[in-house]
Amino acid sequence: MAAPDPYLPGHGDDRYRVRHYDLRLGYKVTTNRLDEVAVLDVELLTDLKQLELDLYRLQVSKVLVDGSAARFRTRNHKLQVELRSRRAGERIEVTVHCSGKPRPVPGVHGAAGWEELTDGVLVGSQPQGAPGWFPCNDDPADKASYRIQLDVAAGYHVVANGSLTSKQRHGGTTRWVYEMDAPMAPYLATVQVGHYVTTDLPGPVPVQIVHPSAVAVGAGTAFEHQAEMVRHFVDLFGLYPFGEYRAVVADDVLEIPLEAQGLSSFGRNFAQPTWDNERLVAHELAHQWFGNSVTANQLADIWLHEGFACYAEWLWADHRAATDPHVLDVQAQAARHHTGLAQQKQDLVLTAPGMPDMFDDRVYKRGALTLHAVRAILGDESFFRMLQAWATDHAGGVVTTEMFVEHCLGFATDDPAPLAEALDAWLNRGRLPALPVLSR
């Protein structure tokens, strides 16, 4: 069976879709021991005699299909479950009992997924890490709702996707239950475990920073404007797509921040009050709209995540430049990064970067400049109406570059040819077009 996304060979299966995951986890931090019961609501899209789930190095002890024991085997990081011939359109419940020491899943860009911290856990699975901690259909386009239950030693604070619906202590263990009702790609599922306190902030939705007590996250840190940032992006992009937003600051130094649905993860080093840290706080927040709610159907279109989040950094800079002369406005940001791209090789096609270059900085900056070019042609009023409509019309869904081009052209009320030509040059050609300039 060929993987549905050529950038993730060996992952995913388009013969079925998972509609809901119920993950019941017990975890021992000191030994990195995970005991799990995963219940999957699966809809078959074709007739199937065998269901293949992605699962990496966890040991499976039992599998049930609709409550009855099923034959299974693990092979090449796949859990193969016998179905005795099921028809397209059927819904089945698959229950998997598994355990072991979860670990990151290797990939072209390095291992991703379950990461042990000095005293806790952080999960950041983009793009291939989800099977390292739960059985799944590891296809970014297969979005489902989730319930995540985690039992851990009392004294640890747990964060997962969605709303905290229950927290109960039983002796020396606390059970935390989170529910994410909005459709979510497997790589965006996460749990975070550590010794944390919470700082609640005012906003159009509940905003919370989860952090070690010794790490400041208020005035004079990169998170000083977190609540204002949420409000500003709601003004620009439309309603926040989830019930709440959390920034989790781990008590470790991390190389990069990571987005998950409804939250973002940072190392303690990212709390330092530098512009580079503040722009990354903006970047990860923007992914809630672009990447998490509106998700690329395939990873070749990753610019629909990263280019949009990068442009959100520039939009936040434009907002901050009004009161801070040290911050470059959006046109200066575009000019700076256009100059940087012009000095690099002109061989990257934004819509087909190739798996090794999927996270190349040129994808981020050229993607942002593509949006800047659309804005320069449409004008601010039409551009931001277009952006809000994109986020609203496709909330919870999957999209392609072709869909975005068609969407943009719908806002070109005069002659659409200049916008079509510009989009083709930015998206489908290697050579860098001229710097787009806003008329203000």
Side-chain angles (χ1 to χ4, degrees):
M1 178 64 194
D5 193 328
Y7 282 24
L8 284 179
H11 290 249
D13 193 326
D14 58 8
R15 297 175 298 176
Y16 68 91
R17 300 283 90 173
V18 181
R19 300 309 181 191
H20 181 73
Y21 290 88
D22 185 353
L23 306 180
R24 306 163 190 174
L25 314 172
Y27 183 65
K28 292 182 171 57
V29 176
T30 54
T31 59
N32 188 39
R33 168 76 182 192
L34 182 69
D35 292 288
E36 174 175 1
V37 178
V39 183
L40 283 62
D41 177 4
V42 177
E43 180 180 2
L44 304 184
L45 302 186
T46 64
D47 296 352
L48 278 183
K49 294 182 179 180
Q50 183 184 80
L51 183 74
E52 290 192 344
L53 297 169
D54 297 290
L55 186 64
Y56 180 74
R57 300 188 73 172
L58 292 179
Q59 301 301 309
V60 179
S61 58
K62 181 168 60 175
V63 176
L64 306 176
V65 175
D66 290 335
S68 299
R71 297 177 62 184
F72 68 90
R73 67 173 180 171
T74 55
R75 180 182 181 186
N76 297 327
H77 309 310
K78 292 281 189 180
L79 170 60
Q80 299 173 333
V81 181
E82 298 301 323
L83 297 182
R84 298 179 182 176
S85 188
R86 297 295 188 109
R87 295 293 187 183
E90 285 192 60
R91 295 281 282 267
I92 59 174
E93 182 182 87
V94 180
T95 303
V96 179
H97 295 250
C98 57
S99 61
K101 294 181 180 292
R103 64 200 75 192
V105 180
V108 172
H109 304 283
W114 191 281
E115 292 278 0
E116 293 182 80
L117 301 175
T118 301
D119 188 11
V121 167
L122 181 152
V123 175
S125 294
Q126 190 178 24
Q128 78 280 340
W133 66 284
F134 68 101
C136 61
N137 184 21
D138 194 27
D139 174 7
D142 187 6
K143 303 173 73 170
S145 57
Y146 282 71
R147 177 183 179 274
I148 301 176
Q149 170 186 304
L150 181 62
D151 296 347
V152 69
Y156 285 99
H157 188 101
V158 173
V159 178
N161 310 92
S163 301
L164 177 62
T165 58
S166 176
K167 177 187 174 185
Q168 295 181 328
R169 181 164 176 171
H170 302 278
T173 300
T174 302
R175 171 170 293 176
W176 303 70
V177 180
Y178 285 83
E179 296 190 41
M180 171 55 73
D181 293 333
M184 180 167 72
Y187 80 87
L188 293 169
T190 187
V191 291
Q192 316 273 329
V193 180
H195 293 288
Y196 298 134
V197 296
T198 59
T199 298
D200 295 313
L201 303 173
V205 295
V207 179
Q208 188 177 78
I209 303 180
V210 182
H211 58 101
S213 58
V215 177
V217 294
T221 76
F223 297 97
E224 178 176 358
H225 303 286
Q226 180 72 87
E228 180 186 355
M229 203 178 278
V230 174
R231 287 191 293 270
H232 186 59
F233 283 177
V234 166
D235 289 342
L236 294 179
F237 308 143
L239 293 176
Y240 179 77
F242 310 115
E244 54 274 296
Y245 179 68
R246 296 183 180 90
V248 181
V249 183
D251 201 10
D252 283 51
V253 172
L254 301 180
E255 183 179 357
I256 58 172
L258 302 162
E259 80 267 18
Q261 188 151 307
L263 64 98
S264 304
S265 306
F266 302 84
R268 62 181 299 144
N269 46 308
F270 289 102
Q272 295 299 313
T274 66
W275 171 251
D276 203 45
N277 285 344
E278 185 176 331
R279 72 161 182 91
L280 290 172
V281 172
H283 184 103
E284 302 309 327
L285 171 61
H287 273 311
Q288 302 308 321
W289 286 266
F290 308 114
N292 300 358
S293 176
V294 181
T295 306
N297 186 60
Q298 292 198 336
L299 293 174
D301 279 335
I302 196 70
W303 83 274
L304 292 169
H305 302 186
E306 302 302 348
F308 281 61
C310 184
Y311 197 60
E313 298 175 28
W314 302 356
L315 293 172
W316 175 248
D318 203 49
H319 177 73
R320 290 275 281 114
T323 56
D324 188 341
H326 298 99
V327 179
L328 299 177
D329 66 17
V330 66
Q331 186 60 49
Q333 294 279 353
R336 173 186 169 218
H337 293 294
H338 187 274
T339 298
L341 287 176
Q343 296 170 355
Q344 300 184 52
K345 292 178 67 174
Q346 305 292 303
D347 61 348
L348 183 138
V349 175
L350 194 56
T351 53
M355 181 59 172
D357 289 330
M358 189 178 80
F359 295 118
D360 191 289
D361 193 56
R362 291 174 293 172
V363 172
Y364 291 58
K365 302 307 188 293
R366 184 168 179 138
L369 282 164
T370 300
L371 292 175
H372 198 62
V374 173
R375 182 180 177 184
I377 294 170
L378 288 180
D380 279 9
E381 194 274 335
S382 292
F383 174 77
F384 285 107
R385 278 197 302 111
M386 178 278 295
L387 208 55
Q388 286 201 16
W390 177 251
T392 301
D393 294 350
H394 300 289
V398 294
V399 293
T400 65
T401 294
E402 291 76 15
M403 291 168 63
F404 180 69
V405 170
E406 182 179 357
H407 178 80
C408 286
L409 293 177
F411 287 81
T413 54
D414 297 325
D415 181 7
L419 181 56
E421 292 169 6
L423 284 167
D424 182 61
W426 281 99
L427 295 171
N428 303 317
R429 309 283 180 246
R431 187 173 183 82
L432 184 68
L435 172 67
V437 179
L438 301 181
S439 57
R440 287 185 167 182

